[in-house]
Amino acid sequence: MAEDSGLQAALCSEQFGSGAARGCRAAADGRLQWEAEGRRWWGSPGNRGGAASSPLSGLVSVFLPQGFPDSVSQDYLPYQWWDSVQAFASSLSGSLATQAVLQGIGVGNAKASVSAATATWLVKDSTGMLGRIVFAWWKGSKLDCNAKQWRLFADVLNDMAMFLEIMAPAFPICFTMTVCISNLAKCIVGVAGGATRAALTMHQARRNNMADVSAKDGSQETLVNLAGLLVSLLLLPLVSGWPSFSLGCFFLFTTLHIYANHRAVRALVMETLNEGRLWLVLQHFLQKGEVLDPTSANQMEPLWTGSWPPVSLSLGVPLHRLISSVSELQHLTEGHHEPYLLCWNQSRNQVQVVLSQAAGPETILRAATHGLVLGALKGARHLPRELEGLRNQLRADPEKASWAIVMETHQVLDKLFPKFLKGLHDAGWKTEKHQLEVDEWRATWLVSLEKKML
């Protein structure tokens, strides 16, 4: 052992998250000496943390979740970067829109009536409140299933609302109606944006730390908005009195906002399956026998418009909607013992699925896969041999009963689905939960219906 160090063998070591480990050795005088990355400090009651924290580590602790990067998903950092860029651009656009609204209601105009301005403001807020309630009732259950698409929709709608606010002063006769429509859109944005933000936070939190991830996201947004406020204080005096320049700046910030939002949403890698991702993965599996990994499927997932499933799929529908006679119930239950019943309308290419009380996530995933396979009989180019034979039968006999095709696809899925499910597990998909849109209807039926009728 080197004499100049005066150290004995290492006694212990410690590590914070995935950071560099630091070891503890005993010095000749009995004190503890910690070493890490070329630094050395002496342990003592007044120096519990060892060396002083760097400014960078201080910023990490303030604006990033504890345990970063291990405590969040791998897509956290790229998403948050682009999310901060879009928030900054939105803050600048919002300042221009707010200035236009204040001018429109008479701020700075000695002839403007306070009561008229107040009435306009109250009508605007009331319209938005009603819109928030109606939209939450209408689309609230669908926001989890397509969080990325709804997040992008909310931000684009927000830009449209701000554009209406900027243009409102140019049409004084329609000012009140314009700002009411704008506030209605903003309230819809609040519902869709807030709900999808919660869904994305749940995806990013990996250590039961959703509250911490949400709080740090709020801190990041506050910092970005503060920066936007400071820039707005410099910008607004420059554009005041220059409507065309103000409009040009708004379009510039809006372009940056939409681009950053698209990059942020595209950076997300969701490991759970919704209908769009399931269709992409299933289509690839049927054509090539391989299961796409979450990263590849998320990159291919349409955010605006694109390759959506060719079939209209409804999960968890009421049983009374599908049957009106005993024979129809017999057709639905014939040839399988799965805890779901499936009805396929060929002319509309519509699949409706009744779920049993015992249906769990795997059953729902199989039912959705079954419905998409039926849609693939008309939409996909290449299919496995078993399904290709069914498609040829369907082409040769278009009048063949739908329930007969459904029964035969049950038999095909008995072979294909276990392989598909194993491929999903191996590729890294989480199949114990899903983001498929499922209604709350559940039913029970006799497994041996024919024997019971006899």
Side-chain angles (χ1 to χ4, degrees):
M1 181 173 59
E3 296 181 358
D4 58 344
S5 65
L7 296 176
Q8 300 176 359
L11 298 177
C12 55
S13 63
E14 65 180 6
Q15 183 178 3
F16 183 80
S18 59
R22 59 184 185 183
C24 173
R25 300 175 184 273
D29 57 4
R31 289 189 297 170
L32 296 179
Q33 180 176 316
W34 294 87
E35 293 182 338
E37 299 181 353
R39 296 176 295 160
R40 179 180 300 174
W41 62 91
W42 299 98
S44 65
N47 188 23
R48 298 182 184 273
S53 299
S54 65
L56 181 59
S57 63
L59 288 175
V60 168
S61 64
V62 171
F63 292 104
L64 295 176
Q66 183 178 2
F68 174 85
D70 300 314
S71 61
V72 293
S73 59
Q74 294 183 353
D75 57 16
Y76 179 83
L77 202 57
Y79 172 80
Q80 293 300 128
W81 162 254
W82 287 110
D83 187 55
S84 297
V85 173
Q86 69 86 19
F88 179 74
S90 180
S91 178
L92 297 179
S93 299
S95 298
L96 296 174
T98 301
Q99 183 187 48
V101 171
L102 293 177
Q103 289 176 349
I105 63 175
V107 174
N109 185 357
K111 298 181 180 180
S113 169
V114 175
S115 59
T118 304
T120 299
W121 203 268
L122 292 176
V123 171
K124 175 179 74 73
D125 286 349
S126 300
T127 304
M129 292 175 185
L130 292 175
R132 182 184 293 114
I133 294 173
V134 172
F135 181 77
W137 160 76
W138 183 36
K139 293 293 184 180
S141 61
K142 303 179 184 297
L143 299 178
D144 281 304
C145 304
N146 297 293
K148 294 195 290 186
Q149 288 80 0
W150 280 108
R151 176 62 194 274
L152 199 58
F153 164 81
D155 285 299
V156 173
L157 184 60
N158 189 50
D159 290 332
M160 296 173 63
M162 289 190 290
F163 175 72
L164 288 176
E165 290 180 342
I166 287 182
M167 297 301 297
F171 304 96
I173 299 178
C174 305
F175 178 82
T176 301
M177 183 180 66
T178 304
V179 295
C180 285
I181 295 174
S182 172
N183 199 57
L184 174 63
K186 283 191 171 184
C187 286
I188 293 175
V189 169
V191 175
T196 53
R197 182 180 292 272
L200 297 181
T201 301
M202 185 180 298
H203 154 71
Q204 292 175 333
R206 294 304 165 95
R207 288 186 180 172
N208 198 25
N209 59 338
M210 183 175 174
D212 184 31
V213 174
S214 179
K216 297 302 171 57
D217 181 67
S219 296
Q220 296 169 26
E221 187 171 1
T222 300
L223 180 64
V224 171
N225 288 336
L226 179 60
L229 176 62
L230 296 177
V231 175
S232 297
L233 291 175
L234 300 176
L235 177 66
L236 292 179
L238 298 177
V239 301
S240 181
W242 296 82
S244 58
F245 184 44
S246 177
L247 192 60
C249 290
F250 172 78
F251 282 125
L252 175 63
F253 298 144
T254 299
T255 302
L256 176 62
H257 180 242
I258 294 176
Y259 173 76
N261 265 296
H262 186 271
R263 291 293 301 270
V265 172
R266 182 57 77 189
L268 290 168
V269 179
M270 312 291 284
E271 296 104 344
T272 49
L273 291 163
N274 62 0
E275 189 174 337
R277 291 189 288 273
L278 177 59
W279 168 243
L280 288 171
V281 174
L282 178 63
Q283 191 177 30
H284 188 84
F285 175 77
L286 293 177
Q287 293 177 356
K288 299 185 178 181
E290 302 173 351
V291 174
L292 289 172
D293 61 272
T295 302
S296 301
N298 277 267
Q299 288 296 317
M300 297 167 60
E301 183 181 9
L303 299 177
W304 304 101
T305 57
S307 178
W308 291 101
V311 63
S312 175
L313 179 64
S314 300
L315 299 169
V317 301
L319 183 59
H320 69 263
R321 183 188 298 176
L322 303 186
I323 60 172
S324 58
S325 65
V326 175
S327 60
E328 290 179 349
L329 181 58
Q330 287 178 328
H331 288 324
L332 289 179
T333 58
E334 186 177 358
H336 74 94
H337 301 289
E338 295 295 330
Y340 69 88
L341 304 177
L342 189 147
C343 180
W344 180 35
N345 187 320
Q346 291 189 51
S347 60
R348 299 180 180 178
N349 205 14
Q350 181 183 53
V351 172
Q352 298 183 83
V353 179
V354 177
L355 296 174
S356 166
Q357 296 283 1
E362 186 174 317
T363 297
I364 295 175
L365 183 60
R366 173 179 166 126
T369 303
H370 193 170
L372 295 177
V373 164
L374 290 170
L377 293 178
K378 291 188 174 182
R381 295 182 180 178
H382 305 286
L383 293 174
R385 184 180 63 259
E386 302 91 336
L387 291 177
E388 193 66 44
L390 283 177
R391 179 157 64 180
N392 291 335
Q393 293 179 27
L394 193 60
R395 289 174 177 173
D397 184 12
E399 301 301 323
K400 185 174 183 178
S402 296
W403 63 266
I405 296 292
V406 169
M407 183 179 64
E408 293 182 39
T409 51
H410 265 295
Q411 299 171 0
V412 173
L413 276 178
D414 287 339
K415 299 178 181 179
L416 286 183
F417 187 73
K419 298 178 183 178
F420 181 58
L421 187 62
K422 183 179 183 302
L424 291 174
H425 289 156
D426 295 341
W429 292 98
K430 296 180 179 178
T431 58
E432 66 276 7
K433 57 182 180 179
H434 58 77
Q435 291 178 329
L436 297 166
E437 185 180 347
V438 185
D439 208 344
E440 296 300 316
W441 286 96
R442 297 295 183 271
T444 58
W445 55 87
L446 295 173
V447 177
S448 302
L449 187 61
E450 294 180 0
K451 295 181 179 180
K452 184 69 175 179
M453 293 301 297
L454 294 174

